[in-house]
Amino acid sequence: MGIDIGSRKILVLVGEVSEAGEIRIVGVGQTPSRGIRKGVVVNVTEATAAIAEAVERAEQSSGYQIERAFIGISGSHITSRNSQGVVGVSRRDRGITPDDIDRALEAAGAIVLPQNQELLHIIPRSYTVDGQEGVRDPLDMHGFRLEVEAHVVMSSSTAIQNLTKCVETAGVQVSELVLTSLAAGNAVLSETEKEMGVVLVDIGEGTTDIAIFIEGTVWHTRSLAMGGEYITNDIAIGLRLPADLAEQVKLRHGHALANQVAEDERFTIAPYGESTPVVVPRWKLAEIVQARAEEILESIQQEIKRSGYDGLLPAGLVLCGGTAQLPGLQELAQDVFSLPVQIGTPRNLSGLAEQVSNPAAAVAVGLMQWTPMWDDIGGSWKGGSNRVSLWKRLESWLRALLPV
């Protein structure tokens, strides 16, 4: 089960895993979000009620009782950094064990945390065994010294506690909190894109979450406190509309490139203070949308440049999230970044796939699929080419236990 708790909607997905390891969607529950703003809980009672309602709908749809789920987390309170961990190999005669790998990752995570912050993920980027760099999977290799380059993600303790409280009060235990950009990348990116170098950009209602993947794993993450709501607010101000009506106007008539809108296109609205509906040229709305969309994209571009990896991204950008469906946004992004830009939709779905085959469902699908990507043994992320087979680990442990 995966639960995407966003600022606009809460989406719960239930999947069944086949013997072949494929996940089939068997339950979907969605409700408008309440008590959540820019990725954090601002009203525990309202957020809990909205989560409980979405969970109930997913239970009715699937026929399963949802007891545990993977939960997405985002927001500007999330920070990250790259770190190194070094350990001595404990059983050099039998090679590197899962325990050695876990100790190396723990050493990478042994950093001084800012006040009110706690670790969310320790993601291995690459390993070095006795000076041999670029090792993807050191398990069973022989050596004396194991080093790991890791990406460490941290989150506000308060945000974690509030989100966990809402979910558990709604009757669901938290299996893990997962950074939403990692979950979305899990759903929409191919292994080839991650290997080449790609930026995953999840533009939600209240936040924009960025993850840079290079050489098969994540190298940089960031959450920006702006999203589709940023565009909606300017429409509300520019056209003097209530926020809910401004959102409807954006979805029905919005376009991110004013020069692609015909001059004779019109739509009718009822602004504040007007007794009769007013006819508005669509290009006027598009000018408002384009200005704010450019600001969001330029903020993303600045973050990519700040990471230092802007020259290592031949696969370009993959956009997902509800705002990614805005007409013209893909073309506008191509102009801003001068890179290939795609709209990402979840891959390889079956079951109730038609309900979630869109960019807005990327996080929820990635959370539902997170279970086989997560290493419960060591508590560390083993996504993509860094994933270590459970059976391979068990085999290694048995060899270590059995006499020679």
Side-chain angles (χ1 to χ4, degrees):
M1 292 85 170
I3 304 179
D4 176 21
I5 303 173
S7 300
R8 173 62 57 180
K9 72 177 188 311
I10 295 172
L11 179 58
V12 181
L13 297 184
V14 181
E16 288 181 340
V17 184
S18 68
E19 292 182 0
E22 298 175 347
I23 297 180
R24 176 173 174 267
I25 300 173
V26 296
V28 179
Q30 180 171 318
T31 60
S33 185
R34 302 188 299 275
I36 305 291
R37 182 169 175 78
K38 296 189 181 298
V40 298
V41 176
V42 296
N43 187 308
V44 171
T45 302
E46 290 186 355
T48 300
I51 293 169
E53 184 179 344
V55 168
E56 182 180 1
R57 293 184 180 183
E59 289 178 335
Q60 292 173 351
S61 173
S62 67
Y64 286 102
Q65 181 178 354
I66 299 177
E67 297 179 350
R68 304 184 65 88
F70 290 89
I71 312 299
I73 185 170
S74 68
S76 58
H77 60 90
I78 292 175
T79 59
S80 65
R81 57 176 290 187
N82 294 323
S83 179
Q84 289 183 318
V86 182
V87 295
V89 177
S90 57
R91 298 292 300 272
R92 294 187 290 272
D93 57 329
R94 295 187 177 180
I96 295 170
T97 66
D99 181 65
D100 294 322
I101 296 173
D102 291 338
R103 288 191 297 111
L105 290 169
E106 288 174 6
I111 59 178
V112 178
L113 294 176
Q115 187 177 10
N116 192 35
Q117 290 270 312
E118 59 183 86
L119 290 176
L120 191 63
H121 297 298
I122 305 174
I123 307 168
R125 288 172 46 176
S126 67
Y127 297 90
T128 300
V129 179
D130 288 356
Q132 179 184 340
E133 299 179 349
V135 175
R136 297 289 183 89
D137 180 3
L139 190 64
D140 292 337
M141 292 182 66
H142 287 270
F144 293 86
R145 176 186 173 95
L146 174 64
E147 304 174 49
V148 62
E149 289 272 354
H151 184 66
V152 180
V153 182
M154 298 156 284
S155 173
S156 161
S157 300
T158 302
I160 287 176
Q161 291 166 2
N162 288 333
L163 184 60
T164 301
K165 179 178 181 179
C166 292
V167 174
E168 293 184 346
T169 305
V172 179
Q173 294 297 309
V174 177
S175 294
E176 295 292 343
L177 292 174
V178 180
L179 187 63
T180 55
S181 56
L182 299 183
N186 189 27
V188 306
L189 296 180
S190 68
E191 294 304 319
T192 300
E193 289 169 332
K194 293 179 184 178
E195 193 70 32
M196 291 178 61
V198 66
V199 184
L200 185 284
V201 181
D202 175 31
I203 309 178
E205 182 68 11
T207 62
T208 294
D209 298 298
I210 303 166
I212 297 177
F213 293 84
I214 301 173
E215 295 181 0
T217 188
V218 65
W219 282 33
H220 181 79
T221 54
R222 181 71 190 277
S223 183
L224 306 177
M226 57 170 56
E229 184 182 44
Y230 191 54
I231 300 172
T232 302
N233 289 343
D234 261 41
I235 295 173
I237 295 170
L239 301 183
R240 294 185 289 115
L241 299 174
D244 56 345
L245 182 55
E247 178 69 15
Q248 294 177 25
V249 168
K250 181 183 73 174
L251 296 176
R252 293 175 183 173
H253 308 290
H255 202 291
L257 285 173
N259 61 10
Q260 290 190 4
V261 176
E263 293 186 4
D264 59 348
E265 289 191 65
R266 302 284 190 273
F267 61 92
T268 303
I269 57 173
Y272 282 124
E274 298 288 344
S275 56
T276 57
V278 174
V279 176
V280 178
R282 191 183 175 204
W283 62 260
K284 182 177 181 180
L285 171 65
E287 286 184 343
I288 297 173
V289 172
Q290 179 173 345
R292 293 300 164 255
E294 283 178 344
E295 287 188 29
I296 294 173
L297 295 174
E298 287 167 0
S299 295
I300 296 167
Q301 185 181 48
Q302 291 172 7
E303 181 60 29
I304 294 171
K305 290 182 177 179
R306 191 183 70 84
S307 74
Y309 305 130
D310 50 311
L312 303 174
L313 305 168
L317 280 79
V318 176
L319 304 178
C320 62
T323 305
Q325 301 175 101
L326 184 67
L329 186 65
Q330 181 179 7
E331 294 84 350
L332 180 62
Q334 288 171 339
D335 292 341
V336 171
F337 293 97
S338 299
L339 287 171
V341 178
Q342 304 176 56
I343 303 299
T345 55
R347 301 166 177 260
N348 304 320
L349 300 178
S350 62
L352 303 176
E354 69 282 353
Q355 298 186 38
V356 293
S357 296
N358 60 77
V363 171
V365 172
L367 290 169
M368 183 195 63
Q369 296 173 338
W370 191 258
T371 307
M373 302 290 287
W374 184 264
D375 174 22
D376 292 314
I377 300 165
S380 54
W381 192 77
K382 302 292 181 185
S385 59
N386 289 312
R387 182 172 57 191
V388 177
S389 166
L390 172 60
W391 298 112
K392 189 175 181 182
R393 282 180 166 237
L394 289 174
E395 181 185 12
S396 175
W397 288 335
L398 289 172
R399 284 204 310 268
L401 292 171
L402 293 173
V404 178

